[in-house]
Amino acid sequence: MLTSRLNRLSPYMFMAPAAVIMAIALIYPLGYMIWGSFRDWDPSQTIGEAEFVGLKNYITLWGDPNFHESLGVTLRFAFICVIVEMIIGVGLALLLDRDIRGMSLLRTMFILPMMIAPVVVGLMWRYMYHPTVGTFNRTLEWLGLPDVDWLGQHALMSVIIADIWQWTPFIFILSLAALQSLPRSALEAARIDGATAWQQILYIKLPLMMPVLIVTALLRLIDAFKVLEVILVLTEGGPGLSTEILALRISRTATEFRELGVAAAMSNYLLILLMLLTVAMIGFTKWQEARAAKLRMANEEDS
Amino acid sequence: MPQIRLERMVKRYGAVEVLHGIDLEMQDNEFTVLVGPSGCGKSTTLRMIAGLEDVSSGEIYVDGKPVKHLEPKDRDLAMVFQDYALYPHMNVAQNISFALRLQKRPKSEIDAKVRDVAGMVGLTDFLGRKPGALSGGQRQRVAMARALAKDSGIFLFDEPLSNLDAKLRGQMRAELALMSQRVEKNMIYVTHDQIEAMTLADRIVVMHGGYIQQQGTPEELFKRPVNKFVAGFLGMPPMNFLDGRIEDKGGALFVTGDGFSLRLSPEKAAIARMAQNPDVILGIRPSDLSYAPEAAPETALTLKVMVSEYIGAQSVLMCQCGGQSVTVEMNSETPMALGETLQFEANAARIHLFDKTSEQAI
Ligand SMILES: Nc1ncnc2c1ncn2[C@@H]1O[C@H](COP(=O)(O)OP(=O)(O)O)[C@@H](O)[C@H]1O
Ligand SMILES: [Mg+2]
């Protein structure tokens, strides 16, 4: 009796340390943030001294045009990045999914950008975007073309280009893996059935890759909403508010404007957004599993 | 319907040559079976005909026109794969109609065709199902229906039945034989299973080690194998092989070995006299040995029964002849005890002799 109960408990015992660490590292700060978002809280005060103001921070943000602007920038940044990255990443994977000599080297080179620390990426691109000595404008000059005001007039586009450069490889390798796990013989059957290369992509490869592509896009979207370092190094959110994504605005609200409560409320808005995406992703995988299970059941019924 | 001709067709993977110059002709409206042990190059041959593998050297002609450089879709063929190769995201009707939809045929024609072939293979009730919700046998039928719907002149099969269980395989084999009589196509069928080959083929091509060993009707190959490999590959249980020597005893030729000495029929003797090498391998099928206690010793083998496998009306006996083992097929009703030594008459007309070194038939 006792041993069997111990046996049943042992998994929980092994999990306990991890659970405790998670509670301390995740739940505690999260609780602190939610708690703080209901207060008018200055960094010089402890949280206990701060005045409780209810939903005031949330309501202020709801009507704050700067917050709207920042949210708009974040959404634009995230969606443009992910859409362009998906198109380029999947396109490259479709192009490079073949056995040609040197392809493995090429593939390795493609994923290098992903391995560079974001701050370094920011510094690199800031140098390349420099109005006078930067690589891009020097090249344009050399070609006899007019300069582009990369980090000024076209700041959001420049920031998006840097993100695309860094994260397209992520989508590339996942798509490539998905492609290479496709059933070879189904593609051969399609060739015999008369599908051209383009029709194979359209009717066989893409539909079969879709589950992986959807999860990849959602993962990237979640990540793009939280991006900070590259933009911080490149533009610090400027000029004006043109590249001030939410993560950056949160940090400025906390440090520059000294409004910890508002910053916390803003974080919670972002958190809600990310949670919606995560739920969408989990929902999608659940839906797929359910569909697979239904298929299996139907199968067992006949046999 | 097209005639296919392979001419000195070679396949190399890097430095390894897996097909060594295949010459083969497949006639109009003929069911050709390529058969051989695993790894002998059957699938490679078929896939080269389909255009899924490059031809390293040699040429493939369809109706006299070289097709080596054509894409699979331009070769007027349909193929059934071993793993069925269905499109997992399409339902049965969509799988069957894929080729027709690519050809942009009118919808009414496509629907009629799908209904037609689905009826032929018994899938009418499953048209809306995805392949994941079908059993192995049903998937097999979808693959067959998809190939039939294409209406092409050449029909290729790569071990289409080998993923099915034994009972279903027998049933599908019979259906396939029926279908092959009804559809007028040039069919090429690859299998490692000699029973499938014997039952389905108009013509069998036996392959081994990247070479064609022999081709002909099932009967020709069964009765007159050109070498020891073909003799041992076709027929179940397989042919017995006994090492022996040709000896002349007072004008008559005998093949003599450990524990036996059989007199050759006059026809066999005439051929055997011309053999350079007296060392031979005697081949005799288990069904060509019959229990005959009264037979003369020079027409019979004396065998010690070691194991008896009861398989119904017939039993398969594993026997010992001198130091070599011999299998015999016998009516199960015949009284017989293990360990007993019995006499079996060998059908002199059905004895095969092979050269000991070259293993070619004498
Ligand atoms: N892609 C490949 N690369 C190298 N060797 C291969 C490849 N495909 C097949 N082979 C070799 O070619 C030979 C014939 O293969 P295959 O035609 O598939 O045999 P089977 O008669 O069993 O269908 C085998 O020895 C196999 O190892
Ligand atoms: Mg094979």
Side-chain angles (χ1 to χ4, degrees):
Chain A
M1 266 312 284
L2 190 66
T3 45
S4 85
R5 184 174 301 169
L6 272 179
N7 274 343
R8 221 156 352 106
L9 284 178
S10 59
Y12 298 101
M13 276 156 56
F14 286 118
M15 268 161 56
V20 169
I21 288 173
M22 205 167 100
I24 294 172
L26 194 72
I27 313 239
Y28 175 73
L30 196 68
Y32 209 84
M33 187 175 77
I34 293 170
W35 180 233
S37 70
F38 296 117
R39 291 170 176 259
D40 184 8
W41 180 18
D42 183 280
S44 60
Q45 300 166 305
T46 65
I47 195 162
E49 292 163 354
E51 184 194 350
F52 184 83
V53 293
L55 285 174
K56 178 165 162 281
N57 290 332
Y58 289 94
I59 293 163
T60 315
L61 279 175
W62 195 255
D64 177 3
N66 286 347
F67 175 69
H68 291 173
E69 175 75 23
S70 178
L71 188 64
V73 169
T74 309
L75 288 172
R76 239 175 303 155
F77 172 83
F79 279 99
I80 295 177
C81 280
V82 173
I83 289 170
V84 177
E85 284 163 16
M86 288 300 291
I87 293 172
I88 303 179
V90 174
L92 275 179
L94 287 168
L95 215 58
L96 297 185
D97 172 36
R98 58 192 70 192
D99 290 317
I100 302 177
R101 201 176 317 186
M103 200 51 90
S104 62
L105 186 73
L106 204 61
R107 283 186 206 141
T108 318
M109 271 167 49
F110 268 120
I111 60 175
L112 277 179
M114 214 173 65
M115 304 186 206
I116 303 174
V119 175
V120 179
V121 172
L123 286 171
M124 234 167 67
W125 281 85
R126 194 162 86 174
Y127 171 75
M128 291 197 289
Y129 280 141
H130 192 278
T132 50
V133 299
T135 320
F136 291 131
N137 275 354
R138 289 236 306 253
T139 313
L140 286 175
E141 251 162 55
W142 183 72
L143 290 170
L145 296 170
D147 279 0
V148 173
D149 185 11
W150 295 104
L151 295 178
Q153 229 178 326
H154 304 290
L156 186 60
M157 181 188 76
S158 303
V159 166
I160 288 174
I161 291 176
D163 190 84
I164 290 170
W165 178 83
Q166 195 185 9
W167 287 108
T168 300
F170 173 73
I171 290 164
F172 168 68
I173 45 170
L174 286 185
S175 317
L176 196 64
L179 260 178
Q180 290 180 341
S181 65
L182 294 188
R184 286 282 138 199
S185 59
L187 287 167
E188 290 179 342
R191 280 175 69 193
I192 289 182
D193 274 349
T196 59
W198 178 240
Q199 287 170 326
Q200 284 174 47
I201 290 174
L202 211 56
Y203 298 131
I204 312 286
K205 291 183 184 176
L206 284 181
L208 289 180
M209 285 166 77
M210 207 39 86
V212 175
L213 295 187
I214 288 175
V215 172
T216 309
L218 284 171
L219 270 177
R220 261 312 290 145
L221 210 52
I222 290 170
D223 224 37
F225 276 118
K226 299 186 300 185
V227 71
L228 175 67
E229 295 99 321
V230 175
I231 297 181
L232 188 67
V233 174
L234 271 177
T235 65
E236 291 178 59
L241 295 181
S242 64
T243 59
E244 190 168 88
I245 39 118
L246 271 181
L248 205 57
R249 183 158 189 89
I250 292 167
S251 117
R252 280 182 66 198
T253 310
T255 53
E256 256 173 67
F257 313 148
R258 305 170 67 78
E259 304 250 27
L260 287 185
V262 179
M266 215 179 318
S267 301
N268 286 338
Y269 272 134
L270 183 59
L271 189 69
I272 290 168
L273 198 65
L274 292 179
M275 246 147 56
L276 286 178
L277 281 174
T278 314
V279 167
M281 189 170 78
I282 294 174
F284 175 73
T285 20
K286 276 262 156 56
W287 173 73
Q288 272 216 313
E289 278 165 15
R291 208 174 53 152
K294 213 175 74 194
L295 279 181
R296 263 198 309 279
M297 288 230 311
N299 193 359
E300 271 155 25
E301 268 169 34
D302 320 315
S303 50
Chain B
M1 301 292 120
Q3 174 240 36
I4 307 169
R5 186 155 57 87
L6 311 182
E7 195 175 272
R8 306 228 49 77
M9 197 176 74
V10 172
K11 179 67 187 178
R12 277 181 288 267
Y13 286 111
V16 187
E17 192 172 291
V18 298
L19 287 178
H20 319 280
I22 299 289
D23 283 303
L24 194 58
E25 225 171 284
M26 281 151 285
Q27 293 309 329
D28 213 4
N29 196 3
E30 188 179 42
F31 200 115
T32 309
V33 176
L34 303 184
V35 67
S38 198
C40 71
K42 312 175 295 282
S43 297
T44 309
T45 308
L46 196 75
R47 292 167 56 82
M48 283 160 91
I49 296 172
L52 296 171
E53 299 277 351
D54 293 330
V55 176
S56 305
S57 82
E59 186 52 90
I60 301 171
Y61 298 93
V62 174
D63 280 341
K65 286 188 286 292
V67 299
K68 188 163 83 171
H69 302 290
L70 294 183
E71 276 288 300
K73 67 188 172 68
D74 301 322
R75 295 192 187 193
D76 181 34
L77 43 83
M79 182 160 171
V80 178
F81 292 80
Q82 176 168 1
D83 62 355
Y84 317 138
L86 302 179
Y87 311 124
H89 57 299
M90 300 184 196
N91 66 27
V92 171
Q94 289 165 331
N95 262 284
I96 295 176
S97 61
F98 187 60
L100 302 176
R101 284 185 286 139
L102 289 177
Q103 291 167 13
K104 304 234 174 348
R105 301 269 191 93
K107 188 163 179 344
S108 56
E109 184 194 331
I110 293 179
D111 288 346
K113 190 82 205 173
V114 168
R115 246 177 292 124
D116 190 25
V117 292
M120 251 171 107
V121 298
L123 279 174
T124 311
D125 296 338
F126 300 95
L127 287 176
R129 291 250 191 121
K130 294 266 176 75
L134 296 175
S135 68
Q138 290 166 338
R139 283 180 214 180
Q140 221 289 320
R141 286 162 200 269
V142 179
M144 208 78 93
R146 185 176 62 182
L148 278 172
K150 258 195 90 187
D151 258 339
S152 39
I154 304 172
F155 215 140
L156 308 177
F157 301 85
D158 191 354
E159 312 229 8
L161 306 185
S162 57
N163 284 358
L164 302 177
D165 61 60
K167 187 167 160 233
L168 203 53
R169 198 180 315 151
Q171 185 189 334
M172 291 300 290
R173 198 168 61 210
E175 284 182 24
L176 207 61
L178 254 177
M179 192 193 80
S180 77
Q181 286 163 14
R182 260 186 302 166
V183 262
E184 303 224 322
K185 287 172 192 294
N186 190 338
M187 307 212 206
I188 309 178
Y189 187 104
V190 159
T191 180
H192 65 268
D193 179 356
Q194 53 99 19
I195 296 181
E196 261 169 49
M198 297 294 272
T199 50
L200 289 172
D202 292 323
R203 205 154 57 92
I204 295 185
V205 178
V206 179
M207 295 183 66
H208 181 45
Y211 292 97
I212 291 181
Q213 301 289 322
Q214 189 178 4
Q215 46 179 306
T217 64
E219 198 183 349
E220 272 166 19
L221 265 63
F222 189 76
K223 291 196 170 152
R224 288 185 293 283
V226 295
N227 60 28
K228 186 183 163 205
F229 176 81
V230 175
F233 191 77
L234 299 177
M236 200 69 214
M239 187 185 275
N240 296 299
F241 295 110
L242 295 166
D243 285 337
R245 246 183 109 71
I246 294 183
E247 286 173 358
D248 194 332
K249 290 185 189 163
L253 280 197
F254 280 72
V255 54
T256 309
D258 187 10
F260 69 93
S261 183
L262 287 179
R263 189 169 64 196
L264 293 177
S265 65
E267 304 86 62
K268 270 270 175 307
I271 304 167
R273 260 184 219 291
M274 290 188 284
Q276 274 116 40
N277 186 358
D279 284 324
V280 296
I281 298 164
L282 167 71
I284 178 116
R285 294 196 187 276
S287 51
D288 293 334
L289 290 167
S290 47
Y291 178 57
E294 314 295 331
E298 76 246 38
T299 64
L301 297 180
T302 307
L303 304 176
K304 185 174 175 202
V305 181
M306 310 302 287
V307 180
S308 162
E309 285 177 344
Y310 179 79
I311 50 173
Q314 294 283 310
S315 289
V316 175
L317 308 183
M318 312 282 176
C319 310
Q320 199 90 48
C321 173
Q324 311 180 76
S325 59
V326 172
T327 321
V328 179
E329 246 179 344
M330 193 169 80
N331 192 323
S332 295
E333 303 301 313
T334 315
M336 173 268 321
L338 292 187
E340 224 176 333
T341 301
L342 304 172
Q343 213 171 207
F344 293 89
E345 182 166 41
N347 186 338
R350 302 228 183 125
I351 280 179
H352 301 268
L353 292 176
F354 305 97
D355 185 281
K356 175 107 187 229
T357 40
S358 71
E359 301 198 338
Q360 295 299 311
I362 297 175

